[in-house]
Amino acid sequence: MALLIKANMHRRAIFKLIEVLPSLTYAERSYFIQNFSTLCNGGAGNTRTVKETAIVEQLLPPFPERSSSILHPKCFCSDSQVKCWHCGKVSERIKNFCDECNKLQPLDETLNYFEVLGIGKVFAVDTKSLTQIFRKLQAKIHPDKFSLATETEKQYALEHSSIINKAYHCLLNPVERALYLLDLAGQPLHEGQIDLDPEFLMEIMEVNEELAEATNKESVADIGLKNQKILDGLLMEADDAFSRNDIQTARSVVAKVKYYHNIYLKVKDYERQHGIVD
């Protein structure tokens, strides 16, 4: 009975929108969308009248200031279903394109980078396969493909393309990939959070001094080769730790990886400055 009373109170409140809907600002519409999600999902008895549906539909269209996280189709269906913004078809899960009208759908902002690209959440990523997946996705969703589409689809294409780019470049780089996996595990690695062995820090300092004093490309190349060998070994250790879901060990290893990766970047910078690499 309490749930029914609450649902009826919500219904009375939302019916008042009929009078003020034309004058609602974006922020006000967003407020109603967020706070009447229970009613949008059916209220008591999981039912919704034609009149209620019509009001909710008027809140749905995107606005110039639209935030996809607010006007997401999940707001208007049950937890296990999503609704196409264009034709209204209900699906069991969010897809890039609607099965019914083939319109591009809003970005699912709950997906992590691995899910965006449709690959397993592992450290040992096949970068060649990753690049192929990235190119296929961009071939379908790049904004240029929607130059003649509606403004809604153009906006969705920009959002999809942006997150696909971010996901690809993050997962392509093993250091960024490792840091991202730590973030997903709820154990982000920030500066100064891990106490490293003084002997290790001394080694890093010596390598940096050696690199700073290098006077020719041969000596720099030698430093780079030694550094790369150590870095490759640490990345293998990180892969092993992640595969065992040993996040604490992974954090310690990745902390060391960051130091050797910085040396790698310095070597590459030297090579670029001296025309050794592009």
Side-chain angles (χ1 to χ4, degrees), residues 6-271:
K6 184 177 180 180
N8 286 334
M9 289 176 64
H10 283 176
R11 286 192 172 100
R12 287 197 299 272
I14 203 170
F15 286 160
K16 296 292 292 183
L17 289 175
I18 298 173
E19 302 173 9
V20 299
L21 191 59
S23 62
L24 286 181
T25 65
Y26 166 75
E28 290 168 338
R29 288 174 187 247
S30 300
Y31 172 84
F32 282 115
I33 287 172
Q34 291 174 314
N35 287 277
F36 287 101
S37 59
T38 300
L39 180 57
C40 294
N41 287 338
N46 198 35
T47 60
R48 187 167 57 194
T49 68
V50 174
K51 194 171 186 180
E52 290 165 356
T53 300
I55 295 173
V56 172
E57 290 293 338
Q58 292 181 64
L59 288 170
L60 280 173
F63 306 95
E65 309 92 333
R66 179 189 60 80
S67 167
S68 58
S69 62
I70 295 176
L71 298 177
H72 198 279
K74 283 184 176 179
C75 296
F76 309 101
C77 296
S78 67
D79 292 338
S80 61
Q81 295 180 323
V82 291
K83 179 180 179 181
C84 174
W85 65 271
H86 182 260
C87 70
K89 178 180 173 57
V90 175
S91 302
E92 292 301 318
R93 62 184 179 84
I94 293 180
K95 302 177 181 179
N96 287 343
F97 293 89
C98 174
D99 291 333
E100 186 72 20
C101 65
N102 201 38
K103 294 292 185 181
L104 183 62
Q105 298 300 294
L107 179 68
D108 184 354
E109 297 184 348
T110 66
L111 299 181
N112 61 49
Y113 286 168
F114 294 91
E115 293 169 330
V116 166
L117 296 175
I119 64 174
K121 193 178 73 172
V122 296
F123 179 73
V125 170
D126 182 343
T127 55
K128 183 177 180 180
S129 176
L130 181 71
T131 298
Q132 292 174 342
I133 292 171
F134 166 72
R135 289 173 178 170
K136 288 180 180 179
L137 285 173
Q138 287 292 37
K140 293 180 180 179
I141 302 182
H142 194 277
D144 289 348
K145 298 287 184 179
F146 296 85
S147 59
L148 300 179
T150 64
E151 291 302 316
T152 298
E153 289 177 282
K154 289 179 182 179
Q155 181 63 33
Y156 291 159
L158 286 171
E159 293 170 359
H160 277 276
S161 182
S162 175
I163 196 66
I164 289 171
N165 271 312
K166 290 178 181 178
Y168 172 66
H169 287 102
C170 173
L171 301 187
L172 184 65
N173 184 307
V175 180
E176 292 300 318
R177 189 191 317 141
L179 293 172
Y180 185 65
L181 280 168
L182 291 178
D183 286 342
L184 292 181
Q187 296 290 327
L189 183 62
H190 299 301
E191 294 294 337
Q193 283 191 333
I194 292 183
D195 294 327
L196 293 170
D197 191 301
E199 185 176 342
F200 168 80
L201 295 175
M202 184 62 69
E203 290 176 1
I204 294 297
M205 185 181 299
E206 289 175 355
V207 175
N208 277 302
E209 290 177 352
E210 185 180 354
L211 185 59
E213 296 171 357
T215 57
N216 55 70
K217 63 181 182 181
E218 287 78 15
S219 58
V220 172
D222 185 55
I223 294 172
L225 287 173
K226 292 178 181 177
N227 183 76
Q228 189 62 54
K229 185 177 180 179
I230 297 173
L231 185 56
D232 289 342
L234 287 171
L235 290 174
M236 289 180 65
E237 289 184 35
D239 179 29
D240 178 66
F242 280 121
S243 65
R244 293 184 287 103
N245 200 33
D246 185 351
I247 303 302
Q248 290 305 315
T249 297
R251 289 183 82 246
S252 298
V253 174
V254 174
K256 294 180 179 180
V257 166
K258 290 181 66 177
Y259 281 91
Y260 282 105
H261 182 65
N262 285 336
I263 294 174
Y264 165 82
L265 294 177
K266 290 178 181 179
V267 170
K268 290 300 177 184
D269 185 56
Y270 177 94
E271 293 176 340

